[in-house]
Amino acid sequence: MLAVTPIIEITAGQKSFGSMQVLHDIDLAITPGEIVTLLGPSGCGKTTLMRLIAGFEDMSGGGLRIDGRDMKGIAPEHRPVNMVFQRYALFPHLDVFENVAFGLKVKGLRGGELRERVQRMLKIVQLDNLANRYIDELSGGQCQRVALARALVNEPKVLLLDEPLAALDLKIRQLMLEEMKRIHAETKATFVYVTHDQDEAMILSDRIVLMDRGRIVQVDRPEVMYAHPRTLFAAKFLGETNLFEGRIVGEGPEGLVVHTEGGVTFTVRAEAPSRGPEVVVSIRPESFSFDPATGDGRHSVSGRVEDIVFTGSRSFYTVALQNQRRIRVQVQRSAKHRMPARGAEVALFWDHDDVAVLPIN
Amino acid sequence: MILLRIVVFAIMAFLLAPIVIIILFSFHATPALTFPFTGFSWRWYAQVFTDSQLGAALVESMKIAFWTALLTLVLGTGASLAWLRLKRRGRAVIEILGITPIALPGLFLGVALLVLFAQLGISLSTVTIVIAHVLLTLPILLVAMKARLTLFDPSLEEAARDLGASQRQTFARVTLPLIAPTLISCAILALAISFDEFVLTSFVAGTETTLPMYIWSMMRRTVTPLINAISTLALLFSILVLVVAAVVGRMRRAAAVADRTKS
């Protein structure tokens, strides 16, 4: 990692619109060839950050280097990046071929080489049979492919994607995600992908950059961020979780001991957050189990099954503890174990490696 | 369904009947403009091409219409581009200032212009007529462009820049082609408005005679199918322009597509 020069490097990036600061102290290095997702709720600054990289907005402070070059004062047309816009921004007065050829034509490419490169790209996105169609004759998924092809044909060092799947329905979204991975593997470009959808981010990304209110909250691989969120925001934004407010009461050989409001005691193998003993403990629904063998053998809590939602491969249980505190539990369907019924008294087990302790906000 | 068809045909007939009548009587052998149709003749067409006064008025009107359309187009395109880049308040200013001239009756506008030109010491000529006409056509273009431009997606210009186009290339390859259809139809409308403008023109024409003014003075004496012949020729000219534009467009597109399959 250290030996590779980052393709994008932002240091102390700031952005304000008038008196409103929308990006604070952005430090980010992106490695060539990786898929990085800028993830966060709407208004967190992820789109602004992307527009800074594309050159549509100027930074109010800090530095941006792309491929080692300082981008200060460099117009969008001179940056080695291309963008796939949220609603595609395809040119309605041009057909598919001309849309894809646009970037090459303005660079002065003509004749056989132009035709060849456009056609090769159309083949990659599987649109070679629709080259003569106009944009209003295409479906949403096809428009998406044209937008990808139009950007990628220029062989950008970095492809920026601004919520490219937001306008598609769920089924096509799944297909396009796989398609995107395939195209990424084929083109070997660096992808910077903006989304507010955690599923898209987890499916696609090598690394997720989680943003909240203009700041980067955490940068990690999806599985690491899911298992070890570093803030309450990260734990809540990525996936479902059970949160217990509590207090660190000591540190044993197994880790921190936390007493929580539910009367449940957790031990956590983690560093104590720096901000005092008040903490929040996060544990994912799938980390609970009714089977003593899957826990660490030392932790359990008992309760009564209140509700069951069966979705096929998985079931979601709501278990109420003695003090009426409710816990969400997700279990995989299994032929080996009998699952508890509604109203049953159960014991829940977990492994302390699956528990995260977070600073209270 | 049958009723619907009848209604559609009735509307078409209502719209097209005057045109058919005009064309029919332009070939009338006698000066009468009413039925019965008594005989076929080219005499009115011949008169169009031989009447030198009429010819002069026609040329004058065409000249004025051409300059009016051109000026409207240039000013209107500029205003449209400004409108695209302005915030809400700036847009409102352009809209209000731009539309005011057609809110006034032509009569008052004519008097006002006449006084203004006199105050400034500008003698009445073709130039003053063109200025007066632009005053009428520019607001119409602005209204039409506003309707078109509210649908204009500004990210199209960003996309062009992102793909490596300079500001000039973006204008030439994206912005202009997208607003061109509206601009062209506005220009044609400007041509038509200018060509038959009468009220305003009569105030600022000075010694010039435009076609509507000539026809007006002619009609005070007699009404003949000469007017029908002129109308028919104008109609023919419009159709010709449209057909040529369509054919050229089709040929260019076919050539572009054929070019791709070559290798």
Side-chain angles (χ1 to χ4, degrees):
Chain A
M1 278 286 277
L2 284 175
V4 186
T5 341
I7 187 83
I8 291 179
E9 195 176 14
I10 301 171
T11 41
Q14 316 282 341
K15 177 66 191 173
S16 306
F17 292 111
S19 61
M20 201 170 76
Q21 187 161 6
V22 292
L23 289 175
H24 306 260
D25 312 316
I26 301 293
D27 286 292
L28 182 63
I30 296 172
T31 318
E34 69 175 339
I35 304 185
V36 169
T37 303
L38 307 182
L39 177 69
S42 58
C44 72
K46 56 191 191 298
T47 296
T48 305
L49 181 54
M50 169 164 288
R51 291 174 61 82
L52 287 177
I53 298 173
F56 298 135
E57 309 282 354
D58 293 323
M59 297 229 282
S60 311
L64 163 66
R65 304 177 80 79
I66 300 178
D67 202 25
R69 255 173 74 213
D70 187 5
M71 284 293 131
K72 194 169 173 59
I74 306 237
E77 63 264 35
H78 297 125
R79 297 189 179 202
V81 302
N82 284 119
M83 182 150 163
V84 173
F85 287 78
Q86 196 171 120
R87 279 183 301 277
Y88 318 135
L90 298 174
F91 304 126
H93 60 298
L94 302 176
D95 62 14
V96 171
F97 185 96
E98 290 297 327
N99 261 282
V100 177
F102 189 92
L104 299 177
K105 275 195 167 174
V106 295
K107 283 181 204 77
L109 203 66
R110 291 285 181 278
E113 201 193 337
L114 174 82
R115 274 201 301 275
E116 208 171 287
R117 279 180 66 178
V118 172
Q119 259 144 11
R120 187 172 0 117
M121 189 45 70
L122 285 174
K123 222 163 249 149
I124 290 180
V125 298
Q126 297 167 353
L127 281 175
D128 34 335
N129 53 338
L130 298 180
N132 301 334
R133 291 269 187 98
Y134 278 95
I135 300 311
D136 58 6
E137 301 165 339
L138 301 179
S139 71
Q142 287 165 343
C143 285
Q144 176 64 65
R145 287 163 204 264
V146 178
L148 273 171
R150 185 180 69 173
L152 284 169
V153 77
N154 304 290
E155 294 171 4
K157 296 249 162 58
V158 179
L159 182 70
L160 306 170
L161 302 113
D162 185 9
E163 306 226 8
L165 304 183
L168 300 178
D169 53 41
L170 196 67
K171 261 216 175 118
I172 303 172
R173 220 184 281 185
Q174 297 290 345
L175 272 171
M176 282 310 298
L177 276 174
E178 281 165 34
E179 194 81 329
M180 215 106 69
K181 277 197 154 175
R182 181 182 63 81
I183 291 167
H184 174 256
E186 242 171 277
T187 56
K188 298 180 183 68
T190 309
F191 280 27
V192 177
Y193 189 101
V194 164
T195 184
H196 64 269
D197 186 306
Q198 40 143 330
D199 292 329
E200 274 177 31
M202 286 199 272
I203 293 169
L204 205 61
S205 319
D206 294 319
R207 286 193 303 157
I208 293 176
V209 176
L210 186 65
M211 295 182 68
D212 182 33
R213 281 172 291 174
R215 291 175 197 278
I216 293 179
V217 178
Q218 189 171 353
V219 182
D220 258 317
R221 294 208 316 275
E223 63 274 21
V224 175
M225 195 176 286
Y226 185 79
H228 305 289
R230 281 212 296 267
T231 61
L232 201 55
F233 173 79
K236 282 200 251 182
F237 198 82
L238 244 70
E240 201 187 342
T241 193
N242 293 290
L243 297 170
F244 300 87
E245 283 182 27
R247 196 180 169 79
I248 300 172
V249 294
E251 192 165 353
E254 255 93 49
L256 300 169
V257 181
V258 184
H259 281 167
T260 66
E261 23 100 52
V264 193
T265 300
F266 292 97
T267 53
V268 192
R269 235 203 294 262
E271 302 253 316
S274 50
R275 273 186 286 161
E278 304 294 335
V279 291
V280 175
V281 169
S282 162
I283 177 163
R284 303 283 182 191
E286 70 274 15
S287 299
F288 285 112
S289 163
F290 300 119
D291 177 9
T294 56
D296 54 15
R298 280 185 296 276
H299 296 94
S300 82
V301 68
S302 53
R304 197 168 52 82
V305 175
E306 248 191 18
D307 189 33
I308 307 170
V309 176
F310 174 70
T311 65
S313 63
R314 294 168 301 173
S315 294
F316 294 89
Y317 282 75
T318 308
V319 174
L321 306 183
Q322 259 90 23
N323 59 357
Q324 296 311 306
R325 163 73 214 224
R326 286 173 179 78
I327 296 181
R328 290 271 286 167
V329 180
Q330 179 195 323
V331 288
Q332 209 65 30
R333 198 185 68 83
S334 154
K336 265 192 267 171
H337 303 288
R338 275 255 325 261
M339 288 298 155
R342 193 188 305 257
E345 295 292 332
V346 291
L348 292 173
F349 304 91
W350 66 91
D351 190 303
H352 62 209
D353 281 339
D354 290 329
V355 181
V357 62
L358 310 165
I360 205 156
N361 275 12
Chain B
M1 276 309 284
I2 286 176
L3 193 70
L4 189 67
R5 276 180 198 201
I6 292 170
V7 171
V8 169
F9 278 114
I11 291 171
M12 297 293 283
F14 179 74
L15 290 174
L16 294 178
I19 295 174
V20 173
I21 301 285
I22 285 170
I23 296 172
L24 182 68
F25 280 93
S26 73
F27 296 106
H28 206 189
T30 72
L33 278 169
T34 47
F35 285 106
F37 193 77
T38 49
F40 178 88
S41 136
W42 288 100
R43 58 184 281 207
W44 306 112
Y45 287 92
Q47 197 178 331
V48 169
F49 291 103
T50 50
D51 186 332
S52 64
Q53 262 183 309
L54 174 70
L58 186 67
V59 168
E60 175 71 7
S61 272
M62 276 163 60
K63 214 163 68 182
I64 290 166
F66 171 78
W67 285 109
T68 300
L70 191 71
L71 220 62
T72 307
L73 210 53
V74 171
L75 292 174
T77 308
S80 307
L81 291 178
W83 192 89
L84 264 183
R85 282 156 184 75
L86 282 169
K87 300 260 182 288
R88 192 187 304 194
R89 190 171 296 178
R91 290 182 171 190
V93 169
I94 288 193
E95 281 162 32
I96 293 167
L97 287 182
I99 289 166
T100 311
I102 41 171
L104 282 173
L107 189 64
F108 301 145
L109 206 58
V111 174
L113 274 175
L114 189 59
V115 172
L116 180 73
F117 289 140
Q119 293 270 335
L120 293 176
I122 300 171
S123 55
L124 301 176
S125 66
T126 310
V127 176
T128 52
I129 301 176
V130 170
I131 291 172
H133 285 188
V134 170
L135 218 52
L136 285 182
T137 54
L138 193 57
I140 292 169
L141 177 130
L142 289 178
V143 171
M145 281 312 288
K146 192 202 149 196
R148 175 65 190 87
L149 293 177
T150 41
L151 301 173
F152 190 89
D153 180 0
S155 66
L156 290 175
E157 288 185 337
E158 284 184 350
R161 295 294 297 279
D162 183 69
L163 291 166
S166 64
Q167 265 177 315
R168 274 214 350 236
Q169 284 174 315
T170 300
F171 176 73
R173 286 173 174 272
V174 176
T175 317
L176 191 60
L178 284 173
I179 62 176
T182 315
L183 285 174
I184 289 168
S185 53
C186 287
I188 290 172
L189 198 62
L191 273 176
I193 290 171
S194 165
F195 196 68
D196 72 358
E197 211 301 317
F198 181 72
V199 178
L200 200 52
T201 313
S202 57
F203 280 97
V204 295
T207 55
E208 300 290 336
T209 304
T210 64
L211 187 67
M213 290 167 78
Y214 179 79
I215 291 174
W216 171 248
S217 64
M218 194 176 77
M219 276 171 64
R220 283 204 292 200
R221 288 175 267 129
T222 62
V223 182
T224 67
L226 180 63
I227 293 159
N228 298 41
I230 296 169
S231 311
T232 307
L233 288 174
L235 184 71
L236 212 63
F237 179 73
S238 316
I239 293 173
L240 198 72
V241 168
L242 291 178
V243 168
V244 167
V247 168
V248 169
R250 237 164 225 258
M251 275 163 50
R252 285 179 57 178
R253 161 105 179 117
V257 171
D259 191 44
R260 278 170 210 168
T261 46
K262 263 197 323 220
S263 54

